[in-house]
Amino acid sequence: MSASSPDSRPPSIGRRTLLGAAAVATPAVLGVATPAAAAPSPAAAASARKKPRALPGGGDLGPNVIVFDPSTPGIQARLDQVFRQQESAQFGTGRYALLFKPGTYNGLNAQLGFYTSIAGLGLSPDDTTINGDVTVDAGWFNGNATQNFWRSAENLALVPVNGTNRWAVAQAAPFRRMHVRGGLNLSPDGYGWASGGYIADSRIDGQVGPYSQQQWYTRDSAIGSWLNGVWNMVFSGVEGAPAQSFPNPPYTTLGTTPISREKPFLYLQGNDYRVFLPEKRTNARGVTWGNGTPRGTSLPLSQFYVARPGVSAATLNQALAEGLHLLLTPGIYHLDRPIQVNRAGTVVLGLGYATLIPDGGATAVQVADVDGVRLAGFLVDAGPVNSATLLEIGPRGASRDHSANPTTVQDVFVRIGGAGAGKATTSMVINSRHTIVDHTWVWRADHGEGVGWETNRADYGVVVNGDDVLATGLFVEHFNKYDVQWNGQRGRTIFFQNEKAYDAPNQAAIQNGSIKGYAAYKVGDGVTTHEGWGLGSYCYYNVNPSIVQHHGFAAPVRSGVRFHNLLVVSLGGQGQYECVINDTGSPTSGTSTVPSTVVSYP
């Protein structure tokens, strides 16, 4: 798709393209030296052999965390080197974090490829200014940005060379805590297809131009203006956001975000690394950093076990049991058992898309029913042996009140297949009350290696059993049954993006009792209170275009279960929807890729 000029009319949108592009040693542990004069008895020696030595906090961030300061020579060359390696490595093993110490950098263009994160190391974005650009484009994929996944920008101020920074991304590519002193263009060069995206806690002084972006969610930010919308543009707590106007233009605008707590981030205090933990906000609006030091607390790196690829799950769990938090440096971690987060207030923070792969059918991460856990910035990749679950927030039956200090799951992404065969019955299960899921992409792969209706079988994407859960920026795609199944009371979702599984072989394969297909978003029959804003589901049954999906959304018909601004889209007529929600909403038809919408339900 192309457009001759970047005017306010969105280019026509085609279907998402299917074709894809195609060890560090465990850190040494520290022990306590035994005085030479005090030789241990045989029993004491045996006991000492059984008890693990205490693990160290802090330490080096490893070879794939590249730190620059304004005097570093050859910054552009190093950025270019990483980009060349990562530009088209969609399912590669490289992982990088590019960190910039506070100061001013001139004449840079940091192009970001796959599994690359760029971030400033100040307390405020304005502490680290790049007179230049942080660019995502789609030259590697012939101008198609729908596969520009898994990359991020955070905590920087940009002064774009031509006045506008280009950030043409798809899913799992957050733009957080950024200050763009100019405009932001969310489309690729040539205005090709694009399917994103997420902005939070950012200030864009000029205009944001989504152009060809099919959908976008912006939270707790400030913008100069917003140019256009294609299918689903959602704003909550955004100063300068366009007025509510769904479906034409397709803007869903909430004045505030009910509850938010920004993602933890690494920063420098003098020469020492710390991790800042922003405080919770209610009815939030605008950025957290606009009036000096942000509100929250911080932890020294010495309170983190700095993990390197190759470390075992047993060692990670030992660190947690000893009271340390986890900092996962870039790379791939194989787990033979779950990482067990049992202590209130624990932080598990990944850098550079650190990737957890559970082996032998294990769950990757399990969180106890405790206050204030923060999971952020990592990818969970299903292993070849089916896992019952990949990520569990709270055990089954969790019921404690966490309203004062909720658990947050932020920029935690899940993938089943693509990099190789993977299976998981349910990807993410949320049992703990008051959990906030703030930007996730839970994806059963539709391209890459190990892809097929049964090859990367994954029935459920996100299952919410806990009450009072809030999702802000929920992207869940291609599951064999329900993409989202929400059983908890008083749940809320602001922005949902979904595609049904492309590869269903026939109508019978998706038949749900008497209903044609499983809804993308299903609210449990026993739920009495639930609310959603700005939710979209798309179908593209390319294996069998005759498949009919009855609806995108299913919910009990009760006054307390309410939806605002829903849409379903048939991409190029490859399959069709009969309704939008339950038995309400016009069917899609033909090949025009025009959404069918419901503004309010019931």
Side-chain angles (χ1 to χ4, degrees):
M1 182 195 68
S2 63
S4 59
S5 64
D7 62 18
S8 62
R9 292 187 304 108
S12 60
I13 301 298
R15 64 169 175 82
R16 284 183 64 178
T17 303
L18 290 174
L19 299 177
V24 179
T26 304
V29 295
L30 299 181
V32 179
T34 302
S41 67
S47 176
R49 284 197 297 272
K50 294 177 183 177
K51 185 177 181 180
R53 295 177 177 179
L55 293 167
D60 184 79
L61 299 180
N64 288 358
V65 176
I66 304 168
V67 182
F68 303 103
D69 66 48
S71 65
T72 301
I75 296 176
Q76 187 65 56
R78 188 71 175 103
L79 297 174
D80 292 346
Q81 179 187 31
V82 172
F83 177 65
R84 282 193 299 271
Q85 178 181 321
Q86 299 301 116
E87 180 183 12
S88 59
Q90 181 171 179
F91 298 112
T93 57
R95 304 286 188 274
Y96 290 94
L98 310 173
L99 304 183
F100 286 75
K101 294 182 179 180
T104 300
Y105 300 78
N106 295 313
L108 297 182
N109 181 17
Q111 299 181 83
L112 299 188
F114 287 97
Y115 314 108
T116 305
S117 298
I118 188 171
L121 288 170
L123 260 182
S124 165
D126 289 325
D127 293 340
T128 310
T129 298
I130 292 178
N131 288 308
D133 296 81
V134 171
T135 301
V136 177
D137 206 345
W140 74 278
F141 202 43
N142 299 315
N144 180 342
T146 61
Q147 293 182 22
N148 281 349
F149 314 136
W150 305 305
R151 62 202 76 196
S152 67
E154 187 172 355
N155 204 28
L156 292 165
L158 304 178
V159 184
V161 169
N162 70 354
T164 300
N165 189 76
R166 185 183 301 278
W167 184 254
V169 298
Q171 289 79 5
F175 196 80
R176 287 186 182 268
R177 236 181 126 66
M178 296 288 287
H179 185 189
V180 181
R181 299 177 194 162
L184 188 64
N185 182 346
L186 303 179
S187 73
D189 186 28
Y191 306 99
W193 300 336
S195 180
Y198 176 90
I199 293 172
D201 200 22
S202 294
R203 181 180 297 276
I204 293 88
D205 293 346
Q207 184 176 73
V208 180
Y211 300 106
S212 55
Q213 282 287 354
Q214 295 165 350
Q215 70 281 315
W216 200 276
Y217 175 51
T218 307
R219 178 183 63 72
D220 298 349
S221 294
I223 61 175
S225 61
W226 190 272
L227 179 63
N228 72 289
V230 176
W231 292 338
N232 191 31
M233 303 285 152
V234 179
F235 309 83
S236 68
V238 178
E239 298 169 355
Q244 169 70 38
S245 58
F246 187 90
N248 187 27
Y251 298 150
T252 298
T253 303
L254 287 73
T256 60
T257 304
I259 307 167
S260 63
R261 190 174 69 191
E262 299 302 332
K263 174 178 171 285
F265 62 92
L266 191 68
Y267 74 103
L268 278 172
Q269 186 176 73
N271 294 319
D272 298 325
Y273 286 106
R274 298 183 69 90
V275 173
F276 193 82
L277 308 177
E279 71 173 15
K280 187 187 77 170
R281 296 196 291 170
T282 57
N283 298 318
R285 182 173 173 85
V287 301
T288 63
W289 46 269
N291 297 310
T293 303
R295 297 176 66 89
T297 58
S298 71
L299 298 169
L301 195 63
S302 61
Q303 292 185 23
F304 285 77
Y305 177 68
V306 179
R308 299 277 199 94
V311 69
S312 69
T315 299
L316 296 173
N317 285 330
Q318 181 190 341
L320 291 170
E322 291 175 3
L324 294 171
H325 307 273
L326 296 182
L327 186 72
L328 306 173
T329 64
I332 296 174
Y333 298 74
H334 282 270
L335 308 172
D336 64 351
R337 67 196 75 175
I339 297 173
Q340 298 277 2
V341 182
N342 297 324
R343 189 180 72 257
T346 299
V347 179
V348 180
L349 177 61
L351 300 179
Y353 287 81
T355 301
L356 308 178
I357 302 179
D359 295 325
T363 296
V365 181
Q366 292 178 322
V367 179
D369 192 13
V370 295
D371 274 358
V373 171
R374 305 185 195 223
L375 307 181
F378 57 88
L379 172 65
V380 178
D381 219 346
V385 177
N386 185 72
S387 294
T389 59
L390 294 173
L391 181 66
E392 296 178 9
I393 308 301
R396 183 188 300 271
S399 60
R400 294 180 181 174
D401 186 323
H402 302 297
S403 56
N405 190 9
T407 285
T408 46
V409 182
Q410 299 177 286
D411 301 348
V412 174
F413 308 116
V414 178
R415 178 173 67 191
I416 300 95
K423 292 186 177 182
T425 303
T426 303
S427 291
M428 185 185 298
V429 180
I430 301 167
N431 294 316
S432 287
R433 293 181 63 194
H434 302 102
T435 298
I436 300 172
V437 180
D438 176 46
H439 190 227
T440 189
W441 185 39
V442 182
W443 184 60
R444 175 181 167 265
D446 60 88
H447 62 269
E449 297 295 325
V451 171
W453 185 248
E454 297 294 343
T455 306
N456 62 329
R457 182 84 193 187
D459 283 352
Y460 306 103
V462 175
V463 175
V464 180
N465 297 317
D467 295 340
D468 307 291
V469 171
L470 171 65
T472 53
L474 186 60
F475 299 73
V476 189
E477 297 190 296
H478 306 150
F479 286 84
N480 295 76
K481 292 185 178 179
Y482 292 123
D483 298 276
V484 173
Q485 183 166 348
W486 203 300
N487 301 317
Q489 298 287 358
R490 297 177 298 280
R492 292 176 289 185
T493 295
I494 304 172
F495 181 89
F496 171 69
Q497 187 266 330
N498 165 264
E499 286 180 347
K500 295 302 299 173
Y502 290 174
D503 54 347
N506 50 50
Q507 189 74 44
I510 64 163
Q511 192 69 18
N512 181 15
S514 62
I515 300 172
K516 298 172 184 175
Y518 290 80
Y521 189 107
K522 162 71 172 173
V523 179
D525 294 340
V527 173
T528 57
T529 305
H530 187 92
E531 196 159 9
W533 296 263
L535 282 63
S537 176
Y538 320 152
C539 75
Y540 181 71
Y541 288 114
N542 66 316
V543 171
N544 189 334
S546 69
I547 289 176
V548 175
Q549 176 84 20
H550 181 61
H551 48 215
F553 304 91
V557 183
R558 296 191 176 100
S559 60
V561 178
R562 298 176 294 172
F563 288 92
H564 315 273
N565 305 343
L566 302 174
L567 69 144
V568 295
V569 180
S570 169
L571 303 183
Q574 306 291 295
Q576 301 289 347
Y577 292 92
E578 291 180 329
C579 304
V580 179
I581 180 168
N582 294 343
D583 300 322
T584 299
S586 300
T588 58
S589 63
T591 60
S592 58
T593 316
V594 173
S596 179
T597 62
V598 168
V599 173
S600 182
Y601 185 88

